[in-house]
């Protein structure tokens, strides 16, 4: 006989502020990753984060398995059924490419994406305009997961996680350094690598890894191809990693200018959020810059 259970969040952060706020005036920021479903509640008027929850599950090769887990989360988490003023959906999917704004044509979005990524069944191809970079981010997400979330939230607001990260990185003064600045957003078994120098975006891509040495290799190889040095470039780390982890120790051993990312400026955070390491959930907080 199968055992019924209720999926529990890995992180659940809120306080009395959430109960005291009219949530119909708030924005829900939702981030779907590989084996993760996270959300944050934002009060736009106060520019304040009121709550955060994150669920983890074993990612599967078939998207239907991910959809089943997300359905279980909806069954367990009644806050998701609140009539928020706005819901922004975001996907941390690997199939993404940047296209110069001057060259982009919406009717050719699939062609641009499939130059670098194989076409997949049940994919929906979307794009985000990034006028501050004069670029367009073209990406694919699973059509069934997207359809389910759009239906449940009655929302068409969608943005790729990397588009939000780029907005966050643009406000970092270090991107103007001629020595180069590397941003890492780490998730289990994959990471986003972004490189700036002299204020220009030089590279953004997603890579798979098994150890910190894999990440070191990608960083060093990318910097040297861009005529930059890993000994002088600043490397800023965000995501699901701790200082005592093997991954961090391997990065620290080879990258002398390694530092942590911080929460986006210009927002208020409840005290319990301040207790969490500032580089955690950087990609989720960055979604507020897209509202």
């Amino acid at each position: 006989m199968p055992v019924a259970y209720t999926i529990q969040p890995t992180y659940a952060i809120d306080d009395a502020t959430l109960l005291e706020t009219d949530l119909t005036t708030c924005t829900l920021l939702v981030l779907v990753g590989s084996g993760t479903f996270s959300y944050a509640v934002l009060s736009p008027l106060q520019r304040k984060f009121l709550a955060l929850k994150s669920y983890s599950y074993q990612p599967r090769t078939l998207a239907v398995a991910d959809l089943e887990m997300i359905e279980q989360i909806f069954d367990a988490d009644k806050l998701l059924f609140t009539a928020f003023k706005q819901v922004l959906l975001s996907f941390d999917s690997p199939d993404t490419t940047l296209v110069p704004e001057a060259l982009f044509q919406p009717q050719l979005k699939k062609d641009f994406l499939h130059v670098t990524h194989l076409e997949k069944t049940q994919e929906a191809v979307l794009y985000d305009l990034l006028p501050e970079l004069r670029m367009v981010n073209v990406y694919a997400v699973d059509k069934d997961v997207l359809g389910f979330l759009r239906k449940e939230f009655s929302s068409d607001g969608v943005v790729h996680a990397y588009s939000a990260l780029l907005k966050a990185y643009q406000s970092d003064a270090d991107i103007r350094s001629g020595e180069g600045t590397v941003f890492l957003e780490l998730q289990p078994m994959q990471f986003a690598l972004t490189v700036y120098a002299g204020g220009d975006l030089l590279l953004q891509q997603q890579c798979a890894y098994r150890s910190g040495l894999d990440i070191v290799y990608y960083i060093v190889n990318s910097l040297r191809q861009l005529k930059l040095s890993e000994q002088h470039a600043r490397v800023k780390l965000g995501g699901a990693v701790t200082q005592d982890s093997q991954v961090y120790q391997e990065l620290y051993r080879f990258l002398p200018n390694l530092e942590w990312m911080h929460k986006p400026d210009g927002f208020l955070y409840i005290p319990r959020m301040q207790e969490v390491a500032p580089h955690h959930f950087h990609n989720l907080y960055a979604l507020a810059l897209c509202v």
Side-chain angles (χ1 to χ4, degrees):
M1 180 177 179
V3 178
Y5 71 97
T6 301
I7 188 169
Q8 297 294 325
T10 308
Y11 285 89
I13 303 171
D14 61 38
D15 63 12
T17 308
L18 187 66
L19 298 176
E20 298 166 356
T21 304
D22 179 4
L23 296 183
T24 62
T25 66
C26 293
T27 297
L28 184 70
L29 306 171
V30 179
L31 177 60
V32 181
S34 176
T36 62
F37 181 95
S38 306
Y39 70 79
V41 179
L42 173 72
S43 172
L45 295 178
Q46 300 175 286
R47 292 182 67 80
K48 181 178 182 179
F49 283 93
L50 306 177
L52 180 154
K53 278 191 182 181
S54 181
Y55 295 85
S56 299
Y57 50 88
Q58 185 65 37
R60 306 289 182 84
T61 54
L62 298 176
V64 65
D66 289 343
L67 181 55
E68 289 173 354
M69 295 305 298
I70 293 173
E71 288 174 339
Q72 287 189 35
I73 293 169
F74 270 78
D75 290 339
D77 195 331
K78 301 309 177 187
L79 184 63
L80 294 173
F81 293 97
T82 302
F84 292 97
K85 182 178 181 180
Q86 181 183 5
V87 177
L88 181 63
L89 306 175
S90 181
F91 294 85
D92 187 356
S93 56
D95 297 340
T96 175
T97 189
L98 291 172
V99 180
E101 188 177 55
L103 301 178
F104 181 71
Q105 300 178 53
Q107 68 273 20
L108 298 178
K109 60 185 180 182
K110 290 186 177 181
D111 300 279
F112 284 117
L113 182 65
H114 296 148
V115 168
T116 54
H117 298 281
L118 294 176
E119 184 173 0
K120 296 180 179 178
T121 58
Q122 291 299 104
E123 71 174 13
V125 179
L126 309 173
Y127 65 89
D128 301 328
L129 300 176
L130 302 171
E132 61 275 17
L133 291 169
R134 298 188 296 278
M135 303 289 284
V136 179
N137 188 10
V138 185
Y139 55 96
V141 301
D142 181 82
K143 185 183 297 184
D144 290 338
V145 173
L146 175 63
F148 172 81
L149 293 175
R150 277 178 162 171
K151 179 182 177 181
E152 292 298 321
F153 288 122
S154 300
S155 173
D156 288 327
V158 182
V159 66
H160 195 274
Y162 294 1
S163 299
L165 287 174
L166 286 170
K167 288 181 179 292
Y169 300 158
Q170 283 293 113
S171 64
D172 190 321
D174 290 333
I175 66 173
R176 292 187 282 274
S177 169
E179 300 286 359
T181 302
V182 179
F183 297 95
L184 292 177
E185 181 64 34
L186 264 66
Q187 302 301 326
M189 309 310 293
Q190 64 184 32
F191 68 97
L193 171 64
T194 308
V195 182
Y196 282 85
D200 295 325
L201 174 64
L202 304 182
L203 173 72
Q204 186 178 67
Q205 64 183 39
Q206 187 179 73
C207 309
Y209 73 94
R210 294 191 177 186
S211 71
L213 292 178
D214 294 335
I215 303 173
V216 171
Y217 168 80
Y218 281 115
I219 293 173
V220 172
N221 186 53
S222 297
L223 286 173
R224 291 183 180 178
Q225 288 191 40
L226 295 169
K227 309 302 182 185
L228 298 169
S229 169
E230 70 276 9
Q231 296 301 311
H232 299 101
R234 302 182 72 161
V235 180
K236 302 197 175 190
L237 180 58
V241 62
T242 60
Q243 191 165 342
D244 58 356
S245 67
Q246 183 178 2
V247 167
Y248 178 86
Q249 294 302 321
E250 289 172 335
L251 293 174
Y252 183 78
R253 179 182 173 190
F254 292 99
L255 303 169
N257 301 309
L258 184 64
E259 57 190 86
W260 296 111
M261 287 295 301
H262 295 282
K263 298 181 180 70
D265 294 328
F267 296 95
L268 300 174
Y269 302 86
I270 61 173
R272 287 193 62 199
M273 290 177 178
Q274 302 288 14
E275 296 170 3
V276 178
H279 61 280
H280 280 244
F281 302 111
H282 182 266
N283 54 353
L284 181 57
Y285 290 132
L287 294 179
L289 301 172
C290 301
V291 175

